[in-house]
Amino acid sequence: MHSGGGGSGVEVKRVFIGAGCNRIVNNVSWGASGFVSFGANNSVAIFSPKSAQILTTLPGHKAVVNCTHWLPSTKFFFKAKQLEQHYLLSGDADGTIILWELSLVDGKWRQVLRLPQSHKKGVTCISGIIVSQTEALFASASSDGSVCLWELVFPLRSGGECKVSCLDSLSVGSKSMVALSLAELPGNSEQIVIAMGGLDNKIHLYCGGRIGKLVHACELKGHTDWIRSLDFSLPISINGEANNIFLVSSSQDKGIRIWKMALCGSMSNGHGTYRKEQISLSSYIEGPVLLAGSSSYQISLESLLIGHEDWVYSVMWQPPLKSVKEDGYYQPQSILSSSMDKTMMIWQPENTSGVWMNVVTVGELSHCALGFYGGHWSPNGDSILAHGYGGSFHLWKNVGNDNWLPQKVPSGHFSSVTDIAWARSSDYIMSVSYDQTSRIYAPWKVEASLKDGEFWHEVARPQIHGHDINCMTVVPGKGNHRFVSGADEKVARVFEAPLSFLRTLDNATLKKSCSDDNVLTDVQILGANMSALGLSQKPIYVQAVRETPEKNGIDGLDTLETIPDAVPTVFTEPPIEDQLAWHTLWPESHKLYGHGNELFSLCCDHKGELVASSCKAQSATVAEVWLWQVGSWKAVGRLQSHSLTVTQMEFSHDDNYLLTVSRDRQFSIFTITRTDAGEVSYSLLARQEGHKRIIWSCSWNPHGHEFATGSRDKIVKIWAVEKGSSVRQLMTLPQFASSVTALSWSGVCDRRNDGLLAIGMENGQIELWRLSYNRADDGSIAAPGVASALVVRIDPFICHAATVNRIAWRKNEEDKTSMQLASCGADNCVRVFDVTVSN
């Protein structure tokens, strides 16, 4: 657990981070440290494949992270045994490259430096090699047509400073490079070769000394579309001499080519002693001769691998393995390729003929996965990782005899996460996003007796939609689990949990209390199917599954309109991406029609009887807040007060008041009264201009009629409803460093006069403030009013790197000193923190 700092008796720790991978080639890197790095919007996320948990996110980039690269990467695992610090490079869409340092001893990260800005546009690729224990070389390419070669000198001792210098900078013209690979030339380690490829369909080879300028050596032609990936092997021993290195290249022409570079002579005496190898079937096309310093290398096309049916986005040699006979390492002849055809393949030469063959194929059969952007080997070569179009990871492990089985990986949204809420039982959290999905995360308990036997995972994806989802609310109260979501459409949609989810939740929590037996018997819906347009989700009934009729010939025709049926499944372990994307949908039970524009905000009262909704608005009539009765789902009220979009709403703890805040800089309080007959009446109690800019957020004190508002003017104000008739401002907190975008107020240790206010900001920071107040006998706040104090600022390495969109405290009935806080933000992340309060 990563600590998030503490003070004034409050400590914050990371519990969970959920995030999807940026859908960009070269975004992922697997390091010799065993950790995987990837870009999650403008942050760099680090996850451990062993625990399938994201450990930290590195803040620092202002733009989307395009590529990451470990030094040492898995290729140099054999050189990394003595290293106490590992380094990571990340490049973004603005052309910025940042160097990070990981201390293996304590797992601490730090930002070492920003490289001098040498790229004017986005960085497309970073690739590097470890030259010695103290030196690395790496190259970076950008869409502005430049390629830079850098030298990185590691500090000799812990805590020392790294030195980075730019050795050379090339301009390749308008057709930029998107793939790079570096290697030391065999037989002449003073010379390095850089292969680069991109939009002109050729592979360009440059040579140079460690400190000299790069010289264009030759071009390799053959591919008929963009070059997408390049990777040099380490020297491969042929006839006892390791004088050959291989370069593998992949392209959008669906082909993979293996090029052999063989040391063919030394030019030191002015006459090349050119030793020509016997031409065999495996090296059937001779290419150019590459001259580097005093050596020359014959390049030939070793093999052409045809097998993928779509663009091949990445190819990679298997990392070196420990030699059995001697105390060294050797380069396995094994290549991993990944493609947009949704498969990854492992290629190896056949023992007898030496012809390269596809020996392993793994992939996703889900119709909703659109293919893989990259594939990576683990350091010891027993696992392979792909990242795909849906921001998802896919991991397979060889459990023996080339039997590759899927493994658990982190998952999350691949676009801004707009809203989050705890389930009424607090057993899970639900989030919605601009990536058009809603997701459920829950701690999956391994064994009741283990204290640390619980890791959070995504356990369901209730809604996969055709519009960006802006808001959601969970419906509390008795009966089945329900939620309402609002997307970029005029309709709010109501969903109910199917039987398969209720049983999966029982398995995750190791208890039967999540779902009453009454509920389980009442629920006749097993799961849901996606519609052809991806808008409504149709129920699959328990009865219908039992009586599955045989499909006649006409029904079996595969047309564009049909989508394969979902198979609702009760999971006994956390589901993987293929299952989440298809078999965990919830059925839609109602649509709520009424608003004139796209839905923007939703909330439900604490009894689970009323849902309030608002939409994007630029006039008073459109800015109405609608009230819906849970159950009948009829509209029972239209509350007029604001003239622009209502940005957030919340019911008071006793459900007597509804607080709304708006873009028009005003907040309104409505009194809500219910008759015994179930009818609802409402009236506007107060409307007031609360801030000088848009009010983004609001939150009620859970123990009283005080509330907080937060605004773009960087200010949080505390207000109180006095004697049910007027509103009085109690205090203003000191101005914050950034716009206040999210608020959530919680009680502390069941003390009515003590509260913790979580404040989320546009810069990604979250602060916890303690609010103490004196109450008179009638419950109102007596003089001197409210005292406030900042108790903790959450550590940036576990906090958001972009706007915090929503924060929510978990309702904790058991332990009042240990609380949990969930948050979501524009950095694509959902986060859960443990907050410990000492009395």
Side-chain angles (χ1 to χ4, degrees):
M1 294 281 177
H2 195 304
S3 176
S8 307
V10 176
E11 190 183 8
V12 179
K13 287 183 179 174
R14 169 192 59 82
V15 175
F16 169 71
I17 302 172
C21 179
N22 290 341
R23 303 187 293 170
I24 304 167
V25 187
N26 302 327
N27 197 248
V28 176
S29 180
W30 198 331
S33 59
F35 297 133
V36 176
S37 63
F38 66 95
N41 196 358
N42 64 323
S43 65
V44 180
I46 310 294
F47 86 80
S48 163
K50 286 180 184 164
S51 64
Q53 297 291 300
I54 296 175
L55 306 177
T56 186
T57 51
L58 312 178
H61 287 284
K62 299 277 189 291
V64 171
V65 175
N66 282 349
C67 48
T68 63
H69 186 80
W70 281 93
L71 289 173
S73 61
T74 50
K75 185 191 284 190
F76 295 95
F77 176 60
F78 71 102
K79 283 190 177 180
K81 290 290 164 63
Q82 284 79 40
L83 294 179
E84 290 183 3
Q85 278 85 28
H86 283 224
Y87 294 88
L88 178 68
L89 292 154
S90 57
D92 69 22
D94 281 347
T96 303
I97 300 174
I98 297 180
L99 176 69
W100 310 88
E101 181 187 89
L102 166 66
S103 167
L104 292 183
V105 181
D106 55 9
K108 288 264 178 19
W109 282 89
R110 74 181 182 98
Q111 181 177 318
V112 181
L113 52 85
R114 287 169 184 266
L115 269 63
Q117 188 91 16
S118 50
H119 298 300
K120 294 179 178 62
K121 288 186 181 173
V123 182
T124 53
C125 182
I126 299 174
S127 180
I129 55 172
I130 300 291
V131 178
S132 68
Q133 292 290 325
T134 59
E135 187 188 3
L137 295 173
F138 66 92
S140 59
S142 164
S143 48
D144 66 4
S146 64
V147 176
C148 293
L149 177 65
W150 308 82
E151 181 187 44
L152 171 61
V153 179
F154 303 134
L156 292 168
R157 54 188 172 70
S158 174
E161 285 305 310
C162 294
K163 292 191 180 72
V164 174
S165 51
C166 182
L167 298 181
D168 201 0
S169 181
L170 305 168
S171 178
V172 296
S174 59
K175 295 195 170 177
S176 61
M177 297 294 150
V178 293
L180 295 169
S181 186
L182 282 74
E184 291 179 284
L185 284 166
N188 189 352
S189 61
E190 286 303 308
Q191 292 283 323
I192 60 157
V193 58
I194 299 184
M196 53 184 81
L199 282 56
D200 65 356
N201 309 350
K202 300 173 198 165
I203 300 166
H204 302 267
L205 295 180
Y206 286 79
C207 289
R210 293 271 181 87
I211 50 171
K213 294 291 180 188
L214 294 172
V215 179
H216 188 272
C218 59
E219 292 174 353
L220 305 181
K221 298 175 184 175
H223 286 295
T224 57
D225 207 335
W226 289 13
I227 311 292
R228 274 301 184 174
S229 182
L230 295 164
D231 192 31
F232 277 112
S233 71
L234 290 167
I236 287 179
S237 176
I238 295 176
N239 303 328
E241 291 183 20
N243 287 335
N244 304 275
I245 60 170
F246 288 86
L247 172 67
V248 62
S249 62
S250 73
S251 163
Q252 290 180 187
D253 64 11
K254 307 175 191 176
I256 299 167
R257 288 169 181 256
I258 304 173
W259 311 84
K260 179 181 177 184
M261 293 174 60
L263 179 67
C264 58
S266 171
M267 311 290 282
S268 55
N269 57 2
H271 304 287
T273 54
Y274 186 81
R275 192 176 78 251
K276 199 163 183 178
E277 283 190 12
Q278 183 184 349
I279 295 176
S280 64
L281 174 67
S282 59
S283 56
Y284 57 90
I285 299 178
E286 283 202 350
V289 173
L290 178 137
L291 299 175
S294 59
S295 305
S296 61
Y297 299 83
Q298 174 66 53
I299 301 176
S300 55
L301 180 64
E302 173 80 5
S303 191
L304 174 62
L305 311 183
I306 302 292
H308 285 295
E309 295 169 6
D310 209 331
W311 297 358
V312 185
Y313 265 135
S314 84
V315 279
M316 190 181 214
W317 288 95
Q318 184 176 337
L321 293 174
K322 199 166 178 59
S323 179
V324 181
K325 297 174 186 170
E326 47 200 87
D327 187 29
Y329 286 79
Y330 71 96
Q331 169 72 62
Q333 295 218 35
S334 181
I335 291 170
L336 174 69
S337 64
S338 69
S339 164
M340 279 304 266
D341 66 5
K342 306 180 196 175
T343 63
M344 281 205 301
M345 294 181 179
I346 296 176
W347 307 82
Q348 290 170 357
E350 211 177 45
N351 288 338
T352 48
S353 67
V355 175
W356 285 78
M357 307 285 286
N358 167 23
V359 293
V360 174
T361 302
V362 294
E364 291 296 307
L365 301 174
S366 158
H367 85 285
C368 38
L370 275 175
F372 295 147
Y373 280 139
H376 299 267
W377 290 98
S378 65
N380 59 3
D382 70 347
S383 299
I384 52 177
L385 175 78
H387 68 106
Y389 179 80
S392 54
F393 286 106
H394 311 262
L395 179 66
W396 289 270
K397 185 168 185 174
N398 184 3
V399 292
N401 303 324
D402 269 347
N403 181 18
W404 295 82
L405 296 180
Q407 306 294 309
K408 289 195 286 284
V409 283
S411 64
H413 295 285
F414 56 86
S415 192
S416 175
V417 190
T418 48
D419 208 346
I420 196 168
W422 288 92
R424 55 162 199 215
S425 56
S426 291
D427 285 317
Y428 60 84
I429 51 175
M430 185 180 287
S431 59
V432 295
S433 162
Y434 288 157
D435 71 3
Q436 307 188 344
T437 65
S438 69
R439 303 179 189 233
I440 288 177
Y441 302 95
W444 198 287
K445 294 183 169 58
V446 182
E447 201 178 303
S449 59
L450 287 175
K451 185 174 186 290
D452 293 328
E454 126 179 347
F455 284 116
W456 284 68
H457 296 279
E458 186 180 345
V459 297
R461 213 166 285 174
Q463 185 183 9
I464 298 174
H465 203 40
H467 295 290
D468 295 4
I469 308 177
N470 298 324
C471 53
M472 56 87 56
T473 185
V474 165
V475 179
K478 292 194 167 63
N480 197 1
H481 297 244
R482 287 175 291 194
F483 77 94
V484 186
S485 79
D488 267 348
E489 53 181 349
K490 300 174 186 180
V491 189
R493 297 172 187 269
V494 185
F495 295 85
E496 294 206 15
L499 201 55
S500 56
F501 171 77
L502 297 173
R503 290 187 170 145
T504 298
L505 189 61
D506 282 348
N507 291 336
T509 54
L510 294 179
K511 58 184 181 186
K512 298 289 178 196
S513 58
C514 309
S515 37
D516 314 332
D517 288 337
N518 300 334
V519 173
L520 284 173
T521 50
D522 288 347
V523 175
Q524 293 300 309
I525 296 173
L526 195 58
N529 264 325
M530 178 78 77
S531 70
L533 291 174
L535 292 175
S536 289
Q537 292 168 194
K538 304 287 189 290
I540 300 172
Y541 290 97
V542 175
Q543 209 60 30
V545 173
R546 293 190 190 123
E547 308 161 3
T548 310
E550 286 186 25
K551 290 194 173 179
N552 56 35
I554 301 165
D555 288 346
L557 287 175
D558 187 18
T559 69
L560 289 173
E561 294 298 314
T562 61
I563 287 181
D565 283 347
V567 184
T569 311
V570 178
F571 296 104
T572 53
E573 60 181 18
I576 58 172
E577 177 68 21
D578 213 15
Q579 298 161 327
L580 285 166
W582 201 228
H583 305 310
T584 61
L585 293 170
W586 288 20
E588 186 183 301
S589 62
H590 293 86
K591 293 183 181 70
L592 310 182
Y593 294 97
H595 285 290
N597 281 335
E598 298 91 340
L599 270 287
F600 194 84
S601 176
L602 284 162
C603 78
C604 188
D605 66 1
H606 298 82
K607 297 188 188 78
E609 294 173 357
L610 284 178
V611 167
S613 63
S614 75
C615 71
K616 295 176 183 175
Q618 289 184 317
S619 66
T621 48
V622 183
E624 290 176 330
V625 172
W626 286 57
L627 292 180
W628 310 86
Q629 192 161 39
V630 174
S632 69
W633 297 109
K634 288 179 180 160
V636 292
R638 292 164 68 171
L639 284 55
Q640 284 195 345
S641 174
H642 296 285
S643 57
L644 294 172
T645 308
V646 172
T647 52
Q648 198 184 349
M649 307 173 286
E650 193 174 293
F651 285 92
S652 62
H653 69 98
D654 55 7
D655 291 338
N656 288 339
Y657 300 111
L658 174 64
L659 167 64
T660 62
V661 294
S662 165
R663 281 181 176 273
D664 63 13
R665 309 172 184 181
Q666 301 193 330
F667 66 81
S668 300
I669 300 226
F670 298 90
T671 54
I672 309 288
T673 50
R674 300 166 176 80
T675 63
D676 294 337
E679 291 177 1
V680 177
S681 62
Y682 49 87
S683 63
L684 179 63
L685 173 73
R687 180 176 67 223
Q688 193 169 324
E689 181 167 315
H691 293 265
K692 294 282 183 276
R693 304 290 297 277
I694 293 170
I695 307 179
W696 281 126
S697 54
C698 61
S699 185
W700 285 98
N701 176 3
H703 293 310
H705 289 147
E706 296 77 42
F707 62 91
T709 56
S711 161
R712 185 180 274 171
D713 63 11
K714 307 179 184 178
I715 285 174
V716 172
K717 295 182 179 179
I718 313 294
W719 313 77
V721 179
E722 300 268 289
K723 300 187 174 62
S725 60
S726 63
V727 173
R728 174 168 72 99
Q729 183 179 336
L730 296 177
M731 74 173 307
T732 302
L733 296 186
Q735 188 166 1
F736 291 89
S738 183
S739 299
V740 176
T741 51
L743 293 172
S744 187
W745 195 331
S746 171
V748 177
C749 309
D750 222 11
R751 297 200 288 265
R752 285 191 68 221
N753 299 341
D754 216 349
L756 266 186
L757 182 64
I759 300 169
M761 288 169 257
E762 196 173 30
N763 61 9
Q765 280 190 347
I766 297 176
E767 294 183 2
L768 301 186
W769 284 69
R770 198 161 199 155
L771 302 177
S772 311
Y773 21 86
N774 296 317
R775 278 194 197 282
D777 295 337
D778 61 358
S780 63
I781 301 289
V786 181
S788 65
L790 170 64
V791 288
V792 67
R793 186 176 284 126
I794 296 180
D795 179 358
F797 283 90
I798 58 171
C799 211
H800 292 278
T803 306
V804 181
N805 287 329
R806 188 77 80 232
I807 39 188
W809 288 100
R810 180 179 188 173
K811 292 177 180 62
N812 192 346
E813 302 303 328
E814 299 156 14
D815 183 2
K816 298 293 182 185
T817 57
S818 178
M819 301 150 70
Q820 282 190 326
L821 180 69
S823 66
C824 66
D827 59 356
N828 307 358
C829 291
V830 169
R831 299 168 190 267
V832 180
F833 306 98
D834 260 340
V835 180
T836 310
V837 182
S838 55
N839 287 325

